[in-house]
Every structure is written in structure tokens, then in C-alpha cells.
Amino acid sequence: MKKDNRSHILIRYGVIIVLILLLSARIVMKLCDTTIIDADKWNHRANELLSQSKVIVPPRGNILASDGSVLATNLNFYTARIDYRAEKFNEKLFRDTIDHLAARMAEYFPVRDAAGWKKHLLNPLDKVREKRPRAYKLMSGLSHTDMEIMRTFPFFSIKNRNRNGLTFEKYMRRFNPYGDMARRSIGGVGETTESKEIHGISGLEKALDSLLYGKIGYSKMINLTKKITDWTDVPAIPGCDIVTTIDINMQDIVESELNNVLDTCGADWGVAVLMDVRNGDIKAISNLERNPRGEGYIEARNRAVMGYEPGSVVKTLSMMIAVEDGLIPDLDEVLPTGGGWAYAGGRPITDAHHSASIRVGDVLEQSSNIGMARIITRKYNDNPGAFYSRVKSLGFLEPMNTGIAGEVPPRFDSIANDRGGRIALSRMSYGYATEIPPLYTLAIYNAIANDGVFVRPRLVKEVKGAIDSVMPISYMGDGRACSQRTAGILRQMLTNVVWGDHGTGRFLRNNTVRIAGKTGTCYMIENGSYNQNKKRLAFCGFFPADNPKYSCVVLTCHPTKNYFGAATTSGQVLRNIALKLYSRGMLGNSSDYRSKTPSNEAPTFYASAMGRKAYDKVKSEFLLPSHRALKSPVTTSKGTLPDVKGYSLREALVALETAGYNISYSGSGYVRSMTPAAGTKVPRGSRVRLVLAN
């Protein structure tokens, strides 16, 4: 019996040994096949894998304001997820702590209340374990700070993520720290359909994409002694940083004032551009339109570079050519106007402000269509096409290349020398039968304010990268729109539009900042004809009138309530911008306050120098409240200074400037003290000094 058992065991061992030998033989054969017979094929495949290049996407450059403030940058964000099938997921502890966890989530991430978070977190547990999600989404768009805070919550604070299932996916997103401020001009980015790369799709992001994107790099796998690793073959070159001409404070003022007037008059949309007279720097640009999905106005298409019939604001261009070319040697010449003028047999040209005649020097002041057409046609009647050539010779039809995507040049059609051409000529002279982007209109007014120097508007000041490059000031045409003498005459004419006895801009008079400019009204074309009930209202000008520092153009489309004139809508925006700049000391005016009123600024206190109770009392009286508990605006009796301590700077400026005071401030954060003291009887127009502290 023992002998039989031993035989069976030996047979089994023998079978196993044979199988091992066969397997070993197979391994040896395969080894020979791989390393000797098919060695070339496998070496070729390995070389193919090792030689494959992977694209390294370069970091996109930043877009900066003129003072270096970031307008657009790349930031890392995170998406929080839970793996409910993690190997050691502690379901019992999760259920025990769910109420505390939901409460903390609701406190820091109030997209849901505590009950909503509890339901959201428990939903996956209703399924059997095998069907529970492995990457259940909690939230997207988390900052690094948000991520760290979430890791301190009950259950999520477990260090082993295999027990709580919490994971974070990192991704990069283009971020605008100032929100919608100048959003259309800054632009946006998106994925291209061709390569799935992220490129600019609008605004500066698109126009300067080649600079912002940088140059892609390449990497490949290499075989080191101990491992195969990724090796950078050609390093990626980061995109350049673009320094714009935008001034954050001015941008805030322009957007706020445009929004306020649009809201007051119920307009469809509006655009405003503020420019530095001397160098053409666009300090602020805002495009707003009705929110199609709710209340108020939102950033819209960049209409500053889109062509529109300009209306009477273009009379300034016609008048500048007439003065420069000697068509009106005598400003006191009187032109007949009457009830209308049927030039070249066309439909009679009429004036909104009817009079039997008009002085040449008053044509802009009273915005006379007949007067402007009579002046221009006296030279170009026999050769209308020469007017187009004259406009072109200024450089007015050149591309500006400001860096704003979607920019188009003006459309001034070359006019045929026939009756139709003469009619078109007369219409062009006062703002019809042509299309001009607001930025081009602004450039002409800016040249007049700048003694005839035709500076090119620019939105890009500097490019920072491997080689820094400062963008020089450049000029349209030969650098001059007109002579210094002509510019002086036009400045006086535009000043009379506001300050003259019959000026169409008399509504804009104020004794703080003298404004010069021109109103413009144009009916809108619908279904091939002019709609008499819809107007596009413009005002273009500069300030202060006697020493221009800034030029500005504003368009308001189809107001429906309260205000319906060019001066009361677009002009009011410009006036309010000028007054806000003055009140903040941005027009070269002194921002110092001189008064015998004692300051109520808080002294510096130290807890070590007094008892804790005394220190807390002093602190409560003088130091800032938390940003979660800011004071609401309070009403004060007429003529007394509102109390804005504890306000943010923007809230304080709105409250005080609405009350009629000029503001200067120092520091940053929230209002800590104000001089004169709140409640003091202070005349409107007085200066109030604010001290801010974080």
C-alpha cells in the first residue's frame, strides 16, 4: 500500500516537473524570438514610442492695467469629488457626521442650504455599493483656500482619502479679478475647434493672442538607467504680459456713470470711451446693454469700434476741413436757412431749430444741417468725390490697430460726380450716408483738443516678455488733423455748444468743470428705412474746455423714459464722468482739504497700555467692523454730511458724491474716519477727506 502511494506521488511530481520544463522551454523560445528573431521589430516599436513628442502648453500671459493691476490672468481652480466606492470608505462615520458636515458646507458654500447639502451628500448611498459613483461631483470653481477649508470639515478632515473618498481635480481657468469691468475690451478665451487649444476669442485676448499664447514646447520619453522618464526637448516659452492703458479708477467711474444714465432713461444700450488727450491712451471703455435674462445692464459687444451713422457729431469734422481749407474766411458771414433747402433737387434738408438765417460761426452751436451742407457744397458741388479724398488725406480712414478685436475703419464712400453724388455729399457733411465707429469720432475731437495733433488711440502700452517692448505713441496720417489755429477756432465753437446762448448742450453747464463738445442725433434704420421713433444719441467732447486733459465719446441707443435728448443722455454721462474725476483730484486739481474743523481720526491704541475692557471699548468705537457686518446707508438731514464710516470706498464715494461733495482719500480698505465729521453742516461742493484702513 505504501509502495502504491509513493508511486502516485512520484508520478505527480514527474507531471509537474514536465510542465515546468515545458513552460521554461516556452519562455526561452519566446525570449529568443523577442530578443533575437524579432529584435528589430521590437526595437523599432520602442524607438517609435520613445521618439513621440508631447506638446507642452505654455502659460498664457497676463493682461494688466496701466498701474500693473491684473485684469486677466491664469488661476488654478479645483473640482471636489467623492469616491463612494473607495476601498475603506467609512460609511458609518459618514452617516454619523452628515449633519455637521452639511451645516459647514452650507456655511461656506451657500449654493445649497444644510438640508440640500445633506440630501446631495446622501443620495449616492441609496444605491448598492457596486453602483455607487466613483467621482461624485460636489462643487467646481474652488480656489486653493476653498479646498483647504473643505479639508477641515467633519469627515473630510480624515487624512486618509481612501477612508473619506474626497479628491480634488485641478484645472486652470482664465480669471478676471475685476469681474465685468472692461470685459469686452479685455475679451475672453476658449477652445478652438481645430486643435482644442485655448486661444483668445474676443477683445484683446483675441487681437493679441499670438503674444499672450506664447510658444508651445515639446517633450519625449527617454530611457535612463533605472527608468523611462519624460524629457523636455524644446521648452515652452510663456506668453507675454500685456500692459494696457486702462486706469482702474477711471474705468470704474465710466462704467458706473454710463450704467446710471442708461438705467434712468431706459436705453437699449450704450458705449463710452475716455481718452488721454496728449498720448491717445484709452483710460476707460465701457459697453453696456440690457440684460436679456434679467434686470439691469451687462457688458455687451464692443460697439466703440463698430460703424454707425454718427449724426451731428460729424459736423465737427466737416467744419474743421472748412476752416482749414479756407472755405469760411469770415465767421460772421450769414447763411440763409429758412424752412429747408432742396439741394441738387433732393429731399429738402431741414434744421431741428428753425431760423431764417444763421451765422457761420454758430453752425456747430445750433447744430444747423442746412448751414453745414451749404458750407461744404460751396467747394465740392462740382466734384463731390474730392470730399472723400480730403477726408482720406487726413488719415481718418486708416486702421487704428488699437488691439481691440472687431475694429473696422469708417465707411466714407467714394462719391460719384453726379446729382446722386451731390446729394450724398450734402448728407455726409452733417452725419448721414456714412458709418463711423465712435472711436474714430473721438480721435478727431481729441486732435482738436490737442492743438491739431492727430494722435492714434491705443489700448496697449507695453509688452513684457523675453524682450520687453514699450509701445510708442503713434499718429494718424501725417500726424496732424489741422493747424493749431484751426484747432483753436474749433475748440471755441465746441465750447459755445455748451456755453453759448443757443447751444444744443446747455444742459451740461456747470461751474466746476467746463465742458466742450457736440451733440448728435441720428434716426435708426429698420427694414431699409429710418424709424422716426428710434434715435441713437451721441455726445463727443473734451474737458476742461480751456485746458483739455481728457476727451470722451458716449452713445446712447433708444432711450424710452425721462431723458430723450443727446445732451441729457450721452452728454450727461460725459458731464458726470468729468465731475467725478474732478472730485477725486484726477484733473490736476488739488485734492487737499483745508479747514479748521478738527479731525476725528482715531488715534493709535495699544492693548498693553490699558485694560482689556478699555481697549475693547476704544476698538469698538474707532476700528472697522467686519466685512460681513458693514453699515447700511443712512439718511441725514439736508445740508449735513452723511456718515460713511465702515463703508467700502465705492459705497462711500456714491453716497458722498450723490450728496454733492468732492472726495479725496488715502489708504485702502474701508472708511475708518472722515473730515469734516459726519453730521456737520457742510456746503455742497466742499471737499471731504476719507482715511481708509483694511
Side-chain angles (χ1 to χ4, degrees):
M1 193 70 177
K2 289 182 180 180
K3 205 171 186 180
D4 290 340
N5 287 338
R6 183 174 178 178
S7 298
H8 286 308
I9 291 171
L10 290 174
I11 290 171
R12 290 172 184 169
Y13 276 133
V15 170
I16 292 171
I17 291 170
V18 169
L19 291 174
I20 291 173
L21 290 173
L22 290 173
L23 180 60
S24 299
R26 177 61 181 161
I27 292 172
V28 171
M29 290 174 61
K30 190 64 178 175
L31 182 63
C32 292
D33 184 55
T34 303
T35 59
I36 300 175
I37 299 174
D38 293 330
D40 292 340
K41 182 182 76 172
W42 289 109
N43 287 334
H44 178 69
R45 186 171 179 183
N47 289 332
E48 278 186 341
L49 292 173
L50 291 173
S51 62
Q52 283 181 357
S53 294
K54 287 193 280 186
V55 171
I56 304 173
V57 178
R60 190 172 182 82
N62 301 317
I63 298 179
L64 310 173
S66 58
D67 63 353
S69 302
V70 177
L71 298 176
T73 189
N74 303 310
L75 286 184
N76 288 325
F77 289 87
Y78 301 85
T79 298
R81 299 182 184 275
I82 295 181
D83 179 4
Y84 283 91
R85 280 193 280 162
E87 184 180 355
K88 296 182 180 180
F89 185 78
N90 194 332
E91 183 176 340
K92 182 179 183 306
L93 180 60
F94 182 68
R95 291 184 181 277
D96 289 343
T97 59
I98 188 63
D99 290 330
H100 296 296
L101 175 58
R104 294 296 299 279
M105 290 291 289
E107 179 184 357
Y108 282 90
F109 308 109
V111 291
R112 296 182 178 88
D113 58 15
W117 273 116
K118 182 177 180 179
K119 181 180 178 182
H120 184 69
L121 291 164
L122 289 177
N123 272 342
L125 297 181
D126 294 338
K127 301 176 183 178
V128 296
R129 180 177 174 80
E130 291 72 22
K131 293 186 178 181
R132 292 175 184 173
R134 304 222 58 165
Y136 187 66
K137 184 178 176 180
L138 295 183
M139 282 193 71
S140 284
L142 298 175
S143 67
H144 186 271
T145 301
D146 293 333
M147 179 181 69
E148 294 301 323
I149 288 174
M150 189 179 289
R151 281 176 169 160
T152 66
F153 292 174
F155 187 72
F156 290 162
S157 60
I158 299 173
K159 298 299 182 184
N160 187 347
R161 72 177 187 181
N162 205 25
R163 292 182 179 274
N164 60 24
L166 182 65
T167 59
F168 293 94
E169 293 178 359
K170 184 170 76 171
Y171 62 95
M172 187 169 287
R173 192 176 76 191
R174 199 67 168 164
F175 181 68
N176 301 97
Y178 288 93
D180 287 337
M181 183 176 286
R183 184 66 181 272
R184 288 292 174 177
S185 300
I186 296 167
V189 298
E191 202 174 70
T192 61
T193 54
E194 298 83 6
S195 63
K196 304 299 181 183
E197 294 175 348
I198 301 297
H199 288 279
I201 57 175
S202 63
L204 283 176
E205 296 275 20
K206 179 179 180 180
L208 303 176
D209 185 70
S210 59
L211 293 171
L212 290 165
Y213 187 75
K215 292 186 178 179
I216 60 176
Y218 297 94
S219 67
K220 62 183 180 182
M221 305 300 291
I222 62 170
N223 190 4
L224 300 178
T225 305
K226 294 185 177 180
K227 63 178 180 179
I228 296 177
T229 189
D230 206 11
W231 179 267
T232 300
D233 203 19
V234 178
I237 299 176
C240 298
D241 288 346
I242 305 298
V243 181
T244 70
T245 58
I246 295 292
D247 182 292
I248 292 298
N249 293 320
M250 294 182 183
Q251 180 70 36
D252 181 49
I253 291 171
V254 169
E255 289 193 6
S256 177
E257 295 310 318
L258 179 62
N259 187 87
N260 290 343
V261 171
L262 292 181
D263 193 52
T264 301
C265 69
D268 287 345
W269 56 260
V271 56
V273 184
L274 181 70
M275 192 162 79
D276 190 307
V277 166
R278 299 303 169 198
N279 54 26
D281 284 357
I282 298 172
K283 309 306 291 184
I285 180 169
S286 181
N287 299 269
L288 300 176
E289 68 181 17
R290 285 184 187 275
N291 185 353
R293 293 178 292 277
E295 298 287 328
Y297 291 84
I298 59 173
E299 270 287 324
R301 288 181 294 170
N302 207 328
R303 291 184 169 90
V305 293
M306 297 171 62
Y308 299 98
E309 280 189 316
S312 293
V313 288
V314 86
K315 289 175 183 170
T316 301
L317 172 63
S318 300
M319 183 63 78
M320 183 187 74
I321 292 173
V323 173
E324 184 74 0
D325 294 354
L327 305 188
I328 45 174
D330 183 8
L331 296 180
D332 291 323
E333 177 188 352
V334 177
L335 302 172
T337 53
W341 183 43
Y343 171 69
R347 182 169 49 85
I349 302 170
T350 59
D351 283 339
H353 315 285
H354 174 71
S355 61
S357 61
I358 191 169
R359 176 178 167 270
V360 167
D362 297 335
V363 167
L364 291 188
E365 178 183 336
Q366 299 182 38
S367 197
S368 172
N369 296 336
I370 298 173
M372 198 69 258
R374 282 189 177 278
I375 291 170
I376 291 299
T377 56
R378 65 173 47 169
K379 175 176 181 179
Y380 298 104
N381 177 68
D382 296 332
N383 186 11
F387 182 71
Y388 166 84
S389 300
R390 181 67 178 93
V391 172
K392 186 177 181 181
S393 70
L394 296 173
F396 188 69
L397 306 184
E398 295 177 0
M400 283 187 171
N401 299 318
T402 57
I404 302 175
E407 176 189 300
V408 297
R411 182 184 65 79
F412 262 82
D413 292 338
S414 183
I415 312 168
N417 294 326
D418 55 18
R419 174 178 172 273
R422 292 197 296 275
I423 293 174
L425 167 68
S426 66
R427 303 311 192 248
M428 282 184 180
S429 69
Y430 60 84
Y432 283 85
T434 186
E435 292 179 351
I436 302 176
L439 196 58
Y440 278 82
T441 303
L442 178 61
I444 282 292
Y445 281 74
N446 194 83
I448 292 168
N450 198 19
D451 283 335
V453 178
F454 202 1
V455 68
R456 188 185 303 272
R458 64 174 185 172
L459 193 57
V460 178
K461 185 166 69 173
E462 185 178 356
V463 177
K464 293 185 175 182
I467 300 177
D468 292 350
S469 176
V470 176
M471 309 301 288
I473 298 171
S474 59
Y475 302 90
M476 303 286 283
D478 63 3
R480 273 205 167 272
C482 63
S483 67
Q484 191 170 351
R485 172 185 171 276
T486 298
I489 293 172
L490 265 293
R491 280 199 301 273
Q492 185 58 54
M493 287 183 176
L494 293 173
T495 300
N496 291 342
V497 171
V498 177
W499 297 93
D501 293 338
H502 305 287
T504 57
R506 297 190 304 277
F507 176 82
L508 306 177
R509 292 178 181 176
N510 71 90
N511 294 322
T512 305
V513 182
R514 285 176 63 87
I515 292 168
K518 181 73 186 74
T519 55
T521 302
C522 189
Y523 294 114
M524 297 172 61
I525 296 176
E526 289 188 351
N527 301 319
S529 62
Y530 288 105
N531 185 338
Q532 301 287 327
N533 296 317
K534 286 190 174 183
K535 298 177 181 179
R536 196 167 43 247
L537 305 168
F539 190 89
C540 192
F542 44 83
F543 54 87
D546 52 347
N547 182 25
K549 293 186 180 298
Y550 296 102
S551 57
C552 184
V553 63
V554 184
L555 259 68
T556 306
C557 180
H558 187 40
T560 58
K561 60 183 181 181
N562 297 325
Y563 298 114
F564 301 93
T568 55
T569 56
S570 296
Q572 187 174 179
V573 175
L574 186 147
R575 182 192 64 186
N576 293 349
I577 290 170
L579 291 175
K580 288 291 178 69
L581 292 178
Y582 179 86
S583 72
R584 301 187 192 181
M586 295 180 180
L587 294 183
N589 54 304
S590 172
S591 60
D592 292 336
Y593 181 79
R594 296 289 181 266
S595 173
K596 294 182 180 180
T597 306
S599 171
N600 70 331
E601 284 189 32
T604 303
F605 292 95
Y606 300 94
S608 59
M610 62 185 72
R612 170 56 61 180
K613 289 184 179 180
Y615 172 74
D616 289 340
K617 181 177 185 298
V618 170
K619 180 179 177 182
S620 67
E621 290 177 355
F622 290 106
L623 300 188
L624 260 315
S626 163
H627 71 280
R628 295 176 181 270
L630 284 178
K631 296 172 9 180
S632 299
V634 295
T635 57
T636 56
S637 59
K638 189 173 182 181
T640 63
L641 197 61
D643 184 3
V644 296
K645 285 185 297 200
Y647 284 24
S648 69
L649 176 60
R650 186 166 185 168
E651 291 169 334
L653 290 172
V654 170
L656 293 172
E657 289 174 344
T658 301
Y661 298 106
N662 296 326
I663 316 301
S664 65
Y665 60 89
S666 60
S668 61
Y670 297 88
V671 179
R672 187 182 72 185
S673 65
M674 52 191 293
T675 306
T680 305
K681 286 199 172 185
V682 180
R684 289 173 63 88
S686 299
R687 185 164 298 282
V688 178
R689 181 170 177 268
L690 304 179
V691 176
L692 311 176
N694 287 315

